């Protein structure tokens, strides 16, 4: 991989609910290759198809008065919102083709962006339908709302669904997210499926473009049913099948350093997962306190057919509680995900920079890169020497050099990852691919320093992931 910033979080920064895989950079990851462009093109083409569908099914008389024009616009907003909510859900349905083409980090980012768009379109639809009716029927807002409640089928469930959309949207906003644990956020977010179902009933029974049109209803039902099946299979069915096949259990829990714990899993047939060093899984420990949510953790050794290890930093309630998990606990995995892999390195020389729990994927990557005969430098940043987890697993020999950089900046009096210091530690950084895995602020610093030292932008890759 070329310089890659990778910080995996799955929860809010407050109340200690962020799991520790490695926190991801705040910078936007670039759209990757033709696969990503194809996914975006499909979404745009689908939106244009919905626009054509609306235009073809709208009577010319709908634009004859301000009231009817606003109503027609409200119908368009509702139709596009209905299509985009399916696209939004599919992006995080763990469909392998999407993940390989785009990467889960970018899919989650697109999911969040589409969520904002869908919410605005839903509110526009509701507002335009009421305003258009008011102007056409010469009624007050309350009277128009009451009239629509008695006129349109399934509008009460649609109102409930709209409220669900609004609550989910508001609790996903950064301002409120800081006050919610990941578990609470996830529970609220999960209700969106009920909201989608409730608004779908209203679309089919009352939508002007669907009433009396069986072909239109069939296409719309197929779109929603296909989305539901993708969710059920890729997010529920396949993980359960893999769970039965792999039989994964916790083999041991090891305290690696202050604030860092490794969990070894054992099973059989792990080769079928085709996991790579640097990738991550969504891990669900089937024990009280962990069973309801899955969190993203990176593998910290090259996986074998029977064993895999995750090294987890104590960044929150969930990740801190990992150290108390008992051997024999069954584990369910989703994945692998991510493109933080050795095949992205174009140069024979590679620099790996780790901070916090980012040492896990960096440790695994170093192992694979050295096995390929590459020259690897590992720079390990930590607040103090007691937090340099896995440091003993980096023997210093011809093709691997481990450079610990402990100490807080205020105590050191300088930033160990500034261009001046990083340039002295790695004089040939310009000729190296750089992988960065750690907290967002550290990642941003390394990226800026690498650019200042002449590392090409094309040699800087990063994945940004927050499941919330």
């Amino acid at each position: 991989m070329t310089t890659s910033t990778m910080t995996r979080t799955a929860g809010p920064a407050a109340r200690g609910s962020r799991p520790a895989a490695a926190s991801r950079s705040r910078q936007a990851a670039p759209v990757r290759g033709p696969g990503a462009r194809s996914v975006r093109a499909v979404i745009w083409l689908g939106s244009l198809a919905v626009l054509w569908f609306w235009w073809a099914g709208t009577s010319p008389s709908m634009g004859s008065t301000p009231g009817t024009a606003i109503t027609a616009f409200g119908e368009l907003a509702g139709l596009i919102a209905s299509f985009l909510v399916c696209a939004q859900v599919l992006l995080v349905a763990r469909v392998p083709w999407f993940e390989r083409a785009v990467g889960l980090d970018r899919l989650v980012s697109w999911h969040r962006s589409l969520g904002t768009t869908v919410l605005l379109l839903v509110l526009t639809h509701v507002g335009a339908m009421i305003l258009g009716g008011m102007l056409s029927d010469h009624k007050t807002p309350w009277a128009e709302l009451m009239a629509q409640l008695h006129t349109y089928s399934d509008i009460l469930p649609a109102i409930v669904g709209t409220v669900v959309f609004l609550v989910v949207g508001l609790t996903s906003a950064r301002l409120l997210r800081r006050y919610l644990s990941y578990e609470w956020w996830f529970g609220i977010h999960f209700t969106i499926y009920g909201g989608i179902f409730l608004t779908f009933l209203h679309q089919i029974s009352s939508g002007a473009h669907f009433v009396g049109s069986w072909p239109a209803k069939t296409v719309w039902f197929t779109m929603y049913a296909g989305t539901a099946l993708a969710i059920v299979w890729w997010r529920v069915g396949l993980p359960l099948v893999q769970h039965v096949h792999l039989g994964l259990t916790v083999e041991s829990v090891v305290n690696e350093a202050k604030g860092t714990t490794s969990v070894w899993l054992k099973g059989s047939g792990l080769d079928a997962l085709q996991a790579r060093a640097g990738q991550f899984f969504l891990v669900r420990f089937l024990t009280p306190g962990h069973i309801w949510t899955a969190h993203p953790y990176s593998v910290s050794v090259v996986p074998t057919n029977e064993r895999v290890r995750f090294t987890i930093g104590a960044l929150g309630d969930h990740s801190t509680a990992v150290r108390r998990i008992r051997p024999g606990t069954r584990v369910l995995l989703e994945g692998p995900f991510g493109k933080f892999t050795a095949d992205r390195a174009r140069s024979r020389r590679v620099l790996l920079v780790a901070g916090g729990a980012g040492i896990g994927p960096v440790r695994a990557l170093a192992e694979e890169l050295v096995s390929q005969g590459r020259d690897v430098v590992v720079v390990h940043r930590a607040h103090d020497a007691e937090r340099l987890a896995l440091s003993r697993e980096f023997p210093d020999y011809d093709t691997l050099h481990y450079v610990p950089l402990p100490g807080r900046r205020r105590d050191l009096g300088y930033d160990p990852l500034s261009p001046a210091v990083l340039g002295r530690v790695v004089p040939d950084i310009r000729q190296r691919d750089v992988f960065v895995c750690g907290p967002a602020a550290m990642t941003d610093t390394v990226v800026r320093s690498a650019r200042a030292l002449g590392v090409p932008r094309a040699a800087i890759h990063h994945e940004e992931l927050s499941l919330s």
Side-chain angles (χ1 to χ4, degrees):
M1 198 196 253
T2 40
T3 300
S4 188
T5 52
M6 180 177 183
T7 54
R8 294 186 181 124
T9 63
R15 301 198 179 183
S17 59
R18 274 191 353 199
S23 19
R24 283 187 203 271
S25 171
R26 292 164 293 188
Q27 301 179 19
V31 175
R32 304 183 183 96
R37 289 192 291 270
S38 296
V39 173
R40 298 186 71 171
V42 168
I43 294 174
W44 277 107
L45 289 174
S47 299
L48 291 174
V50 172
L51 177 61
W52 173 86
F53 172 66
W54 167 81
W55 181 263
T58 300
S59 170
S61 63
M62 284 296 289
S64 59
T65 67
T68 57
I70 292 173
T71 298
F73 178 72
E75 291 172 350
L76 173 62
L79 287 170
I80 294 180
S82 300
F83 167 73
L84 289 181
V85 79
C86 287
Q88 181 194 11
V89 170
L90 277 174
L91 290 177
V92 290
R94 315 291 190 253
V95 179
W97 185 84
F98 286 166
E99 205 281 330
R100 288 193 297 267
V102 183
L104 188 58
D105 62 319
R106 188 67 358 202
L107 291 174
V108 170
S109 177
W110 290 357
H111 171 83
R112 290 196 299 263
S113 298
L114 279 180
T116 302
T117 302
V118 167
L119 180 59
L120 292 175
L121 286 170
V122 168
L123 295 177
T124 298
H125 167 72
V126 173
M129 296 301 291
I130 293 176
L131 178 59
M134 286 169 49
L135 295 175
S136 298
D137 302 334
H138 306 290
K139 294 181 177 179
T140 64
W142 179 254
E144 179 59 31
L145 178 59
M146 291 297 101
Q148 292 195 16
L149 280 171
H150 290 90
T151 302
Y152 294 107
S153 301
D154 296 315
I155 194 168
L156 188 58
I159 291 175
V160 175
T162 300
V163 172
V164 171
F165 272 83
L166 184 60
V167 171
V168 169
L170 290 176
T171 54
S172 295
R174 293 184 184 275
L175 182 63
L176 294 180
R177 276 305 321 283
R178 68 183 65 179
Y179 299 108
L180 290 173
S181 70
Y182 174 72
E183 287 72 22
W184 270 101
W185 170 86
F186 180 82
I188 295 171
H189 206 73
F190 191 77
T191 64
I192 195 64
Y193 296 114
I196 293 172
F197 175 73
L198 292 173
T199 54
F200 174 74
L201 294 175
H202 168 66
Q203 296 169 48
I204 294 298
S205 63
S206 300
H209 292 73
F210 297 105
V211 174
S213 175
W214 281 106
K217 286 184 178 180
T218 300
V219 170
W220 219 245
F221 179 82
T222 301
M223 180 176 71
Y224 270 76
T227 301
L229 287 173
I231 286 287
V232 170
W233 172 244
W234 295 112
R235 297 199 62 170
V236 181
L238 185 60
L240 288 176
V241 171
Q242 288 182 343
H243 174 65
V244 173
H245 175 69
L246 299 176
L248 281 170
T249 60
V250 173
E251 181 181 44
S252 62
V253 178
V254 181
N255 181 33
E256 300 288 2
K258 184 177 180 181
T260 306
T261 302
S262 285
V263 179
W264 284 94
L265 307 183
K266 65 178 179 179
S268 61
L270 270 68
D271 282 349
L273 298 177
Q274 299 182 336
R276 298 284 307 278
Q279 290 188 305
F280 68 96
F281 287 85
L282 299 179
V283 184
R284 188 186 306 269
F285 297 104
L286 303 183
T287 188
H290 299 267
I291 194 171
W292 296 112
T293 54
H295 292 257
Y297 297 130
S298 301
V299 299
S300 58
V301 293
V302 176
T304 67
N305 190 49
E306 296 180 348
R307 302 176 83 214
V308 62
R309 184 181 73 175
F310 299 99
T311 299
I312 302 165
L315 299 182
D317 294 341
H318 183 278
S319 52
T320 300
V322 163
R323 69 183 65 177
R324 295 190 292 272
I325 292 177
R326 296 180 178 180
T329 298
R330 298 187 69 82
V331 184
L332 191 150
L333 298 183
E334 291 181 61
F337 303 110
K339 295 176 176 290
F340 196 69
T341 50
D343 56 3
R344 297 185 66 186
R346 300 299 180 221
S347 173
R348 194 186 69 82
R349 300 178 182 180
V350 179
L351 168 63
L352 306 177
V353 183
I359 193 59
V362 162
R363 157 65 176 85
L365 269 176
E367 178 183 355
E368 183 169 337
L369 289 165
V370 168
S371 72
Q372 296 174 355
R374 299 181 191 252
D375 181 282
V376 178
V377 173
V378 175
V379 172
H380 190 180
R381 184 78 178 93
H383 286 163
D384 53 65
E386 292 182 344
R387 298 179 184 273
L388 292 171
L390 307 182
S391 59
R392 295 184 301 275
E393 298 187 14
F394 292 93
D396 195 17
Y397 52 90
D398 290 345
T399 59
L400 175 64
H401 302 280
Y402 174 75
V403 183
L405 294 178
R408 295 179 182 272
R409 286 175 294 176
R410 65 171 179 266
D411 298 329
L412 296 172
Y414 62 90
D415 187 345
L417 297 176
S418 66
V421 178
L422 196 58
R424 288 198 300 270
V425 172
V426 191
D428 61 347
I429 187 173
R430 185 178 300 183
Q431 285 76 48
R432 290 182 181 269
D433 292 303
V434 184
F435 294 63
V436 188
C437 191
M442 188 208 82
T443 293
D444 293 343
T445 298
V446 173
V447 171
R448 287 195 300 268
S449 295
R451 292 289 294 131
L453 292 169
V455 178
R457 185 174 299 277
I460 301 177
H461 302 267
H462 54 87
E463 293 182 305
E464 178 184 2
L465 178 60
S466 172
L467 296 185
S468 59

